[in-house]
Amino acid sequence: MPNKLMASARQRLQKRSNLLAQVRAFFYARDVLEVDTPILSQAATPDLHLASLTTQVKVPGFKDKQRYYLHTSPEYPMKRLLSEGSGDIFYLGKVFRDGDLSPRHQVEFTMLEWYRLDFSMQDLIDEVVGLLQTVLLPVLAQCAQVEQLTYRQMFAKYAQIEDVFGAGSEQFQHCLAQNGVPEIIGLQDEDTALWEQLVLTEVIEPQLGKSAVSIITHFPARDAALAQLDSENTAQALRFEVFVNGMELANGYQELQDAELYRQRFDESLQQRQQAGLEQVPLDNRLLEALEHYGLPACSGVALGFDRLLLLQQGASRLEEVIAYSLDKA
Amino acid sequence: MATYSTNEFKNGLKFLMDGQPCTIIDNTIVQPGKGQAFNRVKYRNLMTGRVLEKTFKSGEKVDAADVVDTDLQYLYNDGEFWHFMDETSFEQYQAAESAVADVTKWLIEQDICTVTLFNGQPISVIPPKQVTLEVVETDPGLKGDTAGTGGKPATLSTGAVVQVPLFVQIGEQIIVNTEKGEYVSRAK
């Protein structure tokens, strides 16, 4: 390779290396233990919107051609570790999601995920902001400010929909039209939740994180995933997301602890997969057993897209600019 | 009729929207992580040339458009239609004015053009990048004035008008760039 090209590639890799070191230093300084959990698992996430890659494992005398799933996030093994008493932990490494490829998505990407014992959702939000300010402040001045809104407040402020929980599909459609969003093909009027989602992705998200880091909390309970519901209003979940420059950067929960509720949410997800005609996946029974046996300690956890963080830090617009080789070149 | 699902969408794919052939020029998958995926699609209507945008719910299907680009020889204009011929099969096609409106001034009998066919009918015609035409009308240039900057307008045998250097005279053959509508040189 010509020296000049190599020099710029080397510079690019150096920036990535620096950020990896910076993030690790942030957690080491807080006594959070780095864990490197298995990428391969006999179980997969049942989440309706996540597609796992699979591979065949063949080990003579152990596994005779058995399907293993590549993790979409280290959440399940990390929660097993937490149940078994690991204390505060973080993971910084590769995860895999099939079907995701765009300027902001790669099938294989680097995720930072961490769990903090006895942290409330707000404690964890504060720590995420602390990390962002540590690594982004020198380049993104807006990170000095934080805007924290509930899901409901976000719709009121950015889409002029005062009560998103009570709004009907025509209100969402009206909002899309008013904001000049191109026509949507294939959506029935009664798909209210999807019209709501489109207002979120097409109208609101591009505005988030422009003048401050935007933290959105209290998502609808249907999007709770493995977050606790808000005890004061069970239509809302203790889930938060972080946006910078119109891009979702992190997604965290005050974690559900009850093993029985995990089983319920997993079963609901499996049912949704069935209704959508998707393949069923084996549930992580080892996680469920650990939760039943030891119980998950009170904690909050968050996953943050490391490549996106680097993208923001470097002022780049496509993930390909901050990774060694993108999917098409790998 | 063949259909394409959104997961087959890619740049250059030809499909039908409201009965008109279109080609995808940008396809971005919006995958929010906790919701349904959508395809944000930018496409060009091949009949009108307009660029439009629509968002498709993932899994939606569109009809394929039977659109092909083919090299055809321009034969003649009968006053109503412009006739083209496939040089290998000798099959003939007639294009209506809407397909050639922008390019009639560059159509020269026997030239090979790129013709876009939709259901076997020409919908647009791209002339050769350079054509040779005769100057039929232009002001006589001032002798010796070869350094003039602006040039002068010249009307060509097909009715096209281009700016030419002052030394170009009536009756001369000149080469013209059809994309820019600009004089290139005198033809030898």
Side-chain angles (χ1 to χ4, degrees):
Chain A
M1 188 186 281
N3 287 339
K4 215 169 136 190
L5 266 181
M6 192 60 228
S8 88
R10 165 85 201 189
Q11 248 181 7
R12 200 158 52 92
L13 296 173
Q14 184 67 57
K15 288 170 179 164
R16 189 174 176 91
S17 171
N18 292 349
L19 186 62
L20 285 164
Q22 229 180 334
V23 167
R24 289 198 161 96
F26 180 90
F27 290 104
Y28 292 169
R30 283 165 176 73
D31 247 340
V32 182
L33 180 72
E34 178 164 7
V35 293
D36 190 8
T37 53
I39 285 173
L40 294 177
S41 170
Q42 297 170 75
T45 173
D47 192 299
L48 179 62
H49 300 294
L50 293 180
S52 304
L53 290 172
T54 66
T55 189
Q56 297 284 349
V57 170
K58 279 175 272 187
V59 180
F62 169 63
K63 294 283 182 203
D64 180 22
K65 217 175 172 219
Q66 192 190 318
R67 171 180 269 205
Y68 270 68
Y69 295 84
L70 278 66
H71 67 173
T72 59
S73 108
E75 181 172 6
Y76 300 167
M78 287 182 89
K79 283 181 168 172
R80 270 169 75 190
L81 290 172
L82 289 161
S83 299
E84 290 161 12
S86 66
D88 297 325
I89 49 176
F90 80 97
Y91 171 92
L92 179 53
K94 287 292 172 73
V95 298
F96 305 85
R97 293 180 182 187
D98 203 5
D100 281 0
L101 195 61
S102 78
R104 290 174 173 188
H105 291 285
Q106 286 280 319
V107 167
E108 143 177 8
F109 62 100
T110 300
M111 180 172 270
L112 166 65
E113 183 153 334
W114 76 99
Y115 292 85
R116 299 288 251 138
L117 299 193
D118 296 320
F119 265 41
S120 67
M121 177 171 76
Q122 191 59 50
D123 295 334
L124 190 58
I125 288 172
D126 295 343
E127 189 163 74
V128 172
V129 169
L131 174 66
L132 293 188
Q133 291 185 337
T134 304
V135 302
L136 293 182
L137 250 193
V139 282
L140 285 174
Q142 78 255 40
C143 290
Q145 311 290 325
V146 177
E147 167 195 60
Q148 187 169 330
L149 299 170
T150 65
Y151 187 82
R152 182 193 296 269
Q153 288 166 338
M154 168 181 74
F155 269 84
K157 176 168 178 183
Y158 291 107
Q160 286 74 51
I161 292 173
E162 293 304 322
D163 175 23
V164 62
F165 289 90
S169 116
E170 62 294 338
Q171 231 177 313
F172 295 123
Q173 291 184 42
H174 177 71
C175 172
L176 289 165
Q178 274 209 317
N179 284 278
V181 173
E183 191 188 340
I184 313 292
I185 307 289
L187 211 47
Q188 307 296 314
D189 281 347
E190 59 270 23
D191 273 340
T192 308
L194 281 188
W195 289 109
E196 179 180 327
Q197 180 197 316
L198 284 161
V199 170
L200 182 61
T201 59
E202 306 301 301
V203 178
I204 300 177
E205 282 188 3
Q207 305 179 64
L208 296 179
K210 293 288 187 198
S211 54
V213 173
S214 288
I215 312 278
I216 309 302
T217 65
H218 297 84
F219 280 78
R222 64 159 190 272
D223 294 331
L226 299 177
Q228 276 183 32
L229 296 185
D230 182 1
S231 55
E232 287 165 27
N233 179 351
T234 54
Q236 302 178 347
L238 297 180
R239 170 180 188 159
F240 68 96
E241 290 188 355
V242 181
F243 293 83
V244 180
N245 278 0
M247 182 167 68
E248 185 192 335
L249 188 57
N251 172 24
Y253 320 137
Q254 187 164 316
E255 299 291 347
L256 200 61
Q257 287 175 269
D258 184 335
E260 202 40 52
L261 288 178
Y262 274 83
R263 213 174 266 282
Q264 263 182 37
R265 301 237 179 129
F266 282 166
D267 286 341
E268 280 164 22
S269 292
L270 284 179
Q271 264 174 26
Q272 289 169 352
R273 289 185 85 85
Q274 195 170 15
Q275 279 161 14
L278 296 173
E279 214 182 319
Q280 294 293 302
V281 295
L283 292 183
D284 194 335
N285 284 313
R286 290 203 166 84
L287 168 66
L288 291 169
E289 280 161 24
L291 292 171
E292 271 156 27
H293 203 90
Y294 308 103
L296 186 71
C299 65
S300 291
V302 61
L304 186 152
F306 177 84
D307 308 287
R308 290 184 177 186
L309 185 66
L310 183 56
L311 185 107
L312 289 168
Q313 194 198 42
Q314 296 307 320
S317 55
R318 306 170 63 85
L319 290 183
E320 283 150 276
E321 298 169 47
V322 298
I323 57 182
Y325 300 109
S326 52
L327 185 73
D328 54 331
K329 299 192 181 74
Chain B
M1 189 180 282
T3 59
Y4 297 116
S5 155
T6 53
N7 52 33
E8 295 172 275
F9 280 13
K10 60 180 178 193
N11 292 359
L13 184 95
K14 311 274 196 302
F15 69 100
L16 283 179
M17 179 56 69
D18 305 322
Q20 302 213 311
C22 299
T23 182
I24 293 180
I25 53 180
D26 188 57
N27 171 46
T28 304
I29 297 170
V30 187
Q31 165 68 271
K34 59 181 167 307
Q36 167 88 37
F38 284 86
N39 291 54
R40 220 178 263 152
V41 179
K42 213 182 263 181
Y43 61 93
R44 176 175 285 114
N45 179 317
L46 292 169
M47 306 284 271
T48 64
R50 284 187 61 203
V51 173
L52 299 155
E53 271 184 81
K54 284 197 199 312
T55 300
F56 292 80
K57 186 179 163 191
S58 167
E60 277 300 300
K61 289 192 167 67
V62 292
D63 288 329
D66 177 17
V67 174
V68 285
D69 284 341
T70 177
D71 286 341
L72 300 179
Q73 187 181 48
Y74 172 57
L75 297 179
Y76 63 96
N77 167 232
D78 64 9
E80 189 183 3
F81 291 105
W82 282 258
H83 295 260
F84 293 85
M85 182 182 70
D86 185 319
E87 283 191 298
T88 43
S89 70
F90 302 109
E91 193 172 349
Q92 293 200 14
Y93 299 87
Q94 48 181 29
E97 187 171 5
S98 60
V100 292
D102 300 336
V103 299
T104 50
K105 62 187 174 190
W106 305 128
L107 290 180
I108 301 167
E109 290 172 11
Q110 257 126 84
D111 271 1
I112 304 296
C113 301
T114 301
V115 178
T116 304
L117 301 173
F118 167 51
N119 292 336
Q121 290 295 316
I123 53 168
S124 79
V125 173
I126 300 170
K129 202 170 166 186
Q130 294 196 337
V131 296
T132 303
L133 286 167
E134 186 186 336
V135 177
V136 296
E137 200 185 314
T138 191
D139 288 340
L142 295 172
K143 207 169 175 62
D145 186 3
T146 51
T149 46
K152 58 182 180 178
T155 306
L156 310 179
S157 49
T158 54
V161 177
V162 295
Q163 284 292 116
V164 298
L166 296 177
F167 56 76
V168 172
Q169 304 299 327
I170 293 174
E172 281 191 85
Q173 300 279 328
I174 62 166
I175 298 172
V176 181
N177 175 318
T178 58
E179 286 171 2
K180 298 179 184 160
E182 282 173 4
Y183 169 88
V184 176
S185 67
R186 280 165 154 165
K188 291 280 179 296

